[in-house]
Amino acid sequence: MDIFVQQLVNSLSVASVTILIGIGITLIFGLAGIVNFAHGEFLMVGGMATWFMVGAGMNFFVALVLAGLLVGALGFAAERCLFRFTLNRPMNGFIMSIGLSVILQHAVIRVFNEFQKSITDLVGLVWTIGGVDIIAMRAIVVAITAIIVAITYFGISRSRYGMALRASVADRDTAELMGIPVRRYVTGVFIYGSLLAGIGGALMISLFPITPFTGSVIIIRGFAVSLIGGLGNVGGAVVGGLVLGLVDGLSAGYGYPEWTDAYSLVVMILILVLRPQGLLGGTLGPKAS
């Protein structure tokens, strides 16, 4: 039993990073209807930026904030220069995002090289509770993710801007007729989703080494999280991340650890077959005009 709990605790920190990228994917899809395949590379850029800044002597938490802002600015540039022209043709946006992901990979290789990057354990503490070892940095990652999820949830469900965002997701045309600046909300969602990816990259490199190709791997899990919970549903992204965390814990403790991603995708497929809209229900995205 201790082995299962230990694996579950370890996988929760990985699930936290996946939840952050899943929220970004689901927000962007819900409002813009674009499946942004470059979102994984945004996470990778955030991780690489964090590695560079920490290596230069900067405090990790300062680097985390700056990495989020940097990738948020990257998301703003991508939306303004690329994706805003594909809002009425989401498939074009999807193909464009694949091209952007490849460009970002090669740009990072050109600047830093193709080898993996890592940073040392920033806390160096391990707590033992009931026979289960809890690495302090993993607990910090989970705590930061929980705070971000709470802020996002209450911002969307309780604030005036969140109500306008939900109205835009439900019916973009009617929201525009009611005076809601939908295009500005699209830009804001791209910035916020990208910022979360940058923070996710900073948190990920605090746990594991990353390479310029890490984004191509993590994006699959990000889509799985979003689809399991319901694409376009922020709460669904959290539930999807926890489901994958449970699958990771079970596979590491009782299955073949090298098959973890395969197990996760099998679970995703089964859920989509039995409940195509996801566990909490999703959205088909805005209608193309």
Side-chain angles (χ1 to χ4, degrees), residues 52-82:
F52 178 79
M53 289 184 282
V54 171
M58 186 177 293
N59 177 273
F60 169 76
F61 296 102
V62 176
L64 180 147
V65 173
L66 292 179
L69 294 175
L70 172 66
V71 180
L74 177 62
F76 172 75
E79 192 279 330
R80 290 281 90 183
C81 300
L82 301 175

Side-chain angles (χ1 to χ4, degrees), residues 85-161:
F85 303 108
T86 68
L87 291 179
N88 294 329
R89 296 180 180 273
M91 182 55 68
N92 288 2
F94 171 66
I95 300 300
M96 189 179 291
S97 72
I98 295 176
L100 179 60
S101 70
V102 175
I103 291 170
L104 289 174
Q105 286 176 2
H106 284 272
V108 169
I109 290 172
R110 182 69 176 176
V111 174
F112 295 120
N113 69 43
E114 71 277 17
F115 301 112
Q116 69 178 22
K117 306 292 187 294
S118 63
I119 59 178
T120 58
D121 189 334
L122 302 165
V123 181
L125 294 176
V126 178
W127 302 311
T128 301
I129 302 175
V132 176
D133 294 331
I134 301 176
I135 299 174
M137 192 62 216
R138 289 179 179 268
I140 291 172
V141 168
V142 173
I144 291 174
T145 300
I147 292 170
I148 292 173
V149 168
I151 291 172
T152 304
Y153 177 79
F154 285 107
I156 291 176
S157 63
R158 301 293 177 86
S159 72
R160 177 167 59 91
Y161 299 105

Side-chain angles (χ1 to χ4, degrees), residues 215-278:
S216 299
V217 177
I218 198 68
I219 192 65
I220 303 300
R221 294 182 65 83
F223 281 129
V225 162
S226 301
L227 290 168
I228 287 172
L231 195 57
N233 188 319
V234 172
V238 177
V239 171
L242 294 176
V243 169
L244 286 196
L246 178 61
V247 172
D248 288 349
L250 290 172
S251 63
Y254 301 97
Y256 298 98
E258 64 272 19
W259 287 16
T260 297
D261 288 337
Y263 293 142
S264 300
L265 294 177
V266 167
V267 170
M268 180 195 73
I269 291 170
L270 289 175
I271 289 175
L272 292 180
V273 168
L274 298 174
R275 188 174 172 81
Q277 70 272 37

Side-chain angles (χ1 to χ4, degrees), residues 1-13 129-135 138 245-246 248-250 252-254:
M1 185 62 181
D2 286 348
I3 295 177
F4 169 68
V5 176
Q6 182 68 68
Q7 294 298 336
L8 201 59
V9 168
N10 291 342
S11 64
L12 189 58
S13 57
I129 302 175
V132 176
D133 294 331
I134 301 176
I135 299 174
R138 289 179 179 268
L246 178 61
D248 288 349
L250 290 172
Y254 301 97

Side-chain angles (χ1 to χ4, degrees), residues 135-205:
I135 299 174
M137 192 62 216
R138 289 179 179 268
I140 291 172
V141 168
V142 173
I144 291 174
T145 300
I147 292 170
I148 292 173
V149 168
I151 291 172
T152 304
Y153 177 79
F154 285 107
I156 291 176
S157 63
R158 301 293 177 86
S159 72
R160 177 167 59 91
Y161 299 105
M163 293 176 63
L165 174 61
R166 285 185 284 124
S168 301
V169 170
D171 192 326
R172 183 194 295 175
D173 294 334
T174 302
E176 288 179 335
L177 291 174
M178 296 296 292
I180 296 175
V182 175
R183 288 299 181 99
R184 291 183 184 178
Y185 276 91
V186 170
T187 302
V189 162
F190 259 90
I191 293 173
Y192 187 67
S194 301
L195 183 145
L196 294 186
I199 292 175
L203 295 178
M204 188 170 188
I205 200 172

